[in-house]
Amino acid sequence: MIEILFLLLPVAAASGWWLARRELRGKRDGGVPSHPDFLRGLNYLLEEQPDKAIDTFLKLAEVDGETVETHLALGSLFRRRGEVDRAIRIHQNLIARKNLGPDLRGFALYELGQDYMRAGLLDRAEGLFQELVEVGLHRLSALKALREIYQQERDWLRCLEVAGRLQSLTEQSMVAEMAHYHCELAEDARRKGDLDGARLSLIRAQEVDPTCIRAAMIEGMMTLEEGDPDQAVVIFLRVAERGAAYVSEILPALIEAAQRARGYDPRGLLEDLAARHPTSALLLGLSDLVVREVGEGEALERLTLYLSRFADLSVLERLVDLELRMAPSGSGEAGRIAVVLEVVRQVLSRQPVYQCEQCGFQARSLHWQCPSCKCWGRVLPVQPEPILQDSERADAMSA
Ligand SMILES: [Zn+2]
């Protein structure tokens, strides 16, 4: 029987129920209800037949109403199926039992907190998870759930407090997350016009995580707004060196700062950056400056040279647009180029601009916290692919 249970373990763990029960009971009492119907229910879970599993557990609960495990399994299954009201009732009934031991009561409280979160009742969920942390039951899971709640509520001070406790409990680094919480506080303060408060939060962000790109980006923007373009250029160049992928986010401000600062040649500065970190945004910004200062022909050459190295639709769009502007107005050539431009624009409009390197979530605007996997700082501007040689292309196709 033990072998079967080990086989079932991953499935039940996925339901969020089994693993915690195993931790809870350990080897103390074997940890496993042995009723054959209970095992049958777990087997249905293994076969991904949650409806049959629910039927089996419901029947079992009717004949043996005292079995806590059955109710916990049912509650978890109902929540997974979206029947949160039923899950809440089951877990509330369990908690109301007088004879429930502290471990099982703690687990039922945790499950009820998860039900409330799923139902959007964050205040109630928060109260339960705080109670668990205070009494020292399921402290790690409860702290993680609290962090999730405070993030949803955008309560960054509490996020910082919980992240600090999680870091000391698990010895797992939370510095990147904590730096983002400070950045969120800085953005909030900036919106309210509290520039000193914003500066203080940025200092704290960079104390926690000296590599925090976001803090440097906000600092550069604020420095430019406050009328110090020279210092803003220095900060933006630091951003470009640390995280070239983010240059697209600061490029207009960088160009403005370089134009207003003393002793900087904006075109030379962008050329230098593009040579070391060739990205779409830099090439597009540079081509604008070249068109204005030198001419469209020179810009075309630069874009063509870049496209001979990178398969980059946004740069191709700019190149075709320039070709159209240079073609004789009303000519057959201009008509053909206009068709090409429309095709490129349509394909381009469907391309993701940003992608999460953790879960693959795609977006058309920057999210510091991934809306899908909730990781911080993992959604990055999509980078152009290098042009493959014929032999490399054949290898890529056969792979
Ligand atoms: Zn993600």
Side-chain angles (χ1 to χ4, degrees):
M1 189 204 303
I2 291 299
E3 293 80 47
I4 299 169
L5 288 166
F6 271 105
L7 278 175
L8 292 169
L9 212 64
V11 180
S15 78
W17 168 79
W18 178 265
L19 200 61
R21 288 291 300 128
R22 193 175 57 130
E23 280 170 9
L24 200 68
R25 301 177 70 155
K27 290 176 183 170
R28 193 183 59 208
D29 57 4
V32 175
S34 56
H35 196 290
D37 281 349
F38 188 84
L39 299 181
R40 194 170 300 126
L42 284 182
N43 205 29
Y44 283 133
L45 277 180
L46 181 68
E47 292 164 0
E48 295 189 5
Q49 299 187 62
D51 292 345
K52 285 189 176 173
I54 282 179
D55 287 345
T56 309
F57 287 134
L58 275 175
K59 278 180 198 149
L60 188 59
E62 276 171 27
V63 295
D64 182 9
E66 290 303 304
T67 315
V68 177
E69 286 82 356
T70 312
H71 290 269
L72 285 170
L74 268 173
S76 177
L77 276 166
F78 280 135
R79 187 174 65 242
R80 279 172 67 202
R81 272 212 325 198
E83 294 182 58
V84 187
D85 289 347
R86 294 181 86 174
I88 288 174
R89 274 203 302 279
I90 286 176
H91 292 132
Q92 281 175 335
N93 287 338
L94 274 178
I95 291 161
R97 289 188 187 187
K98 292 262 186 309
N99 57 351
L100 205 63
D103 283 355
L104 280 172
R105 185 181 148 75
F107 192 72
L109 279 174
Y110 177 78
E111 287 289 290
L112 183 60
Q114 290 290 332
D115 299 338
Y116 285 148
M117 274 182 82
R118 184 73 186 272
L121 302 167
L122 298 187
D123 285 358
R124 289 193 199 177
E126 182 188 344
L128 290 184
F129 293 134
Q130 278 175 343
E131 184 184 334
L132 286 170
V133 172
E134 276 162 26
V135 298
L137 286 169
H138 301 278
R139 185 174 274 157
L140 197 58
S141 310
L143 281 171
K144 285 179 180 172
L146 279 174
R147 188 169 79 99
E148 212 177 302
I149 290 172
Y150 295 144
Q151 286 184 161
Q152 278 190 50
E153 292 177 337
R154 305 180 64 79
D155 188 338
W156 309 116
L157 283 174
R158 285 187 156 161
C159 283
L160 277 166
E161 186 198 325
V162 172
R165 294 182 78 172
L166 275 171
Q167 186 166 264
S168 55
L169 262 181
T170 61
E171 292 182 12
Q172 191 182 339
S173 172
M174 300 285 293
V175 293
E177 289 82 356
M178 288 162 91
H180 276 286
Y181 299 149
H182 283 299
C183 286
E184 291 286 351
L185 285 169
E187 297 274 28
D188 286 349
R190 206 174 152 212
R191 273 190 288 274
K192 290 178 198 152
D194 175 11
L195 299 185
D196 290 342
R199 289 253 174 218
L200 195 61
S201 288
L202 292 180
I203 290 169
R204 286 184 180 146
Q206 293 179 82
E207 277 172 359
V208 171
D209 178 10
T211 66
C212 181
I213 297 274
R214 184 182 180 188
M217 284 165 70
I218 303 170
E219 190 190 352
M221 299 289 184
M222 285 182 64
T223 306
L224 181 61
E225 280 171 15
E226 287 167 12
D228 189 351
D230 296 75
Q231 181 59 19
V233 171
V234 172
I235 297 168
F236 286 141
L237 289 180
R238 205 165 67 214
V239 171
E241 292 304 330
R242 280 193 206 154
Y246 286 109
V247 165
S248 54
E249 305 306 308
I250 51 148
L251 196 61
L254 168 61
I255 294 171
E256 187 194 331
Q259 283 167 338
R260 284 169 51 193
R262 283 160 301 183
Y264 283 105
D265 163 24
R267 182 152 63 88
L269 199 143
L270 258 57
E271 273 174 359
D272 179 46
L273 272 180
R276 282 178 293 123
H277 311 291
T279 62
S280 320
L282 269 172
L283 256 290
L284 296 177
L286 184 58
S287 83
D288 283 345
L289 288 179
V290 171
V291 166
R292 241 178 286 147
E293 294 177 11
V294 188
E296 287 163 339
E298 175 71 19
L300 264 185
E301 274 187 33
R302 284 165 191 257
L303 295 176
T304 307
L305 185 66
Y306 172 83
L307 286 170
S308 68
R309 293 173 57 207
F310 297 98
D312 188 327
L313 269 186
S314 55
V315 174
L316 178 64
E317 187 227 9
R318 182 64 56 85
L319 180 133
V320 180
D321 188 37
L322 277 179
E323 294 267 20
L324 182 61
R325 279 195 250 162
M326 292 169 73
S329 172
S331 66
E333 185 191 0
R336 284 190 295 278
I337 296 174
V339 172
V340 174
L341 185 58
E342 277 314 302
V343 173
V344 172
R345 280 187 177 154
Q346 181 156 336
V347 179
L348 185 61
S349 70
R350 292 186 188 147
Q351 278 211 332
V353 183
Y354 299 88
Q355 186 162 30
C356 175
E357 58 182 7
Q358 181 73 21
C359 74
F361 173 83
Q362 297 181 337
R364 294 193 65 82
S365 60
L366 179 62
H367 300 267
W368 287 111
Q369 185 184 21
C370 174
S372 175
C373 71
K374 312 293 180 202
C375 281
W376 288 89
R378 306 301 290 271
V379 178
L380 293 171
V382 175
Q383 297 305 301
E385 281 182 34
I387 296 271
L388 299 176
Q389 300 302 312
D390 284 347
S391 57
E392 292 169 320
R393 202 171 294 133
D395 289 346
M397 298 269 283
S398 61

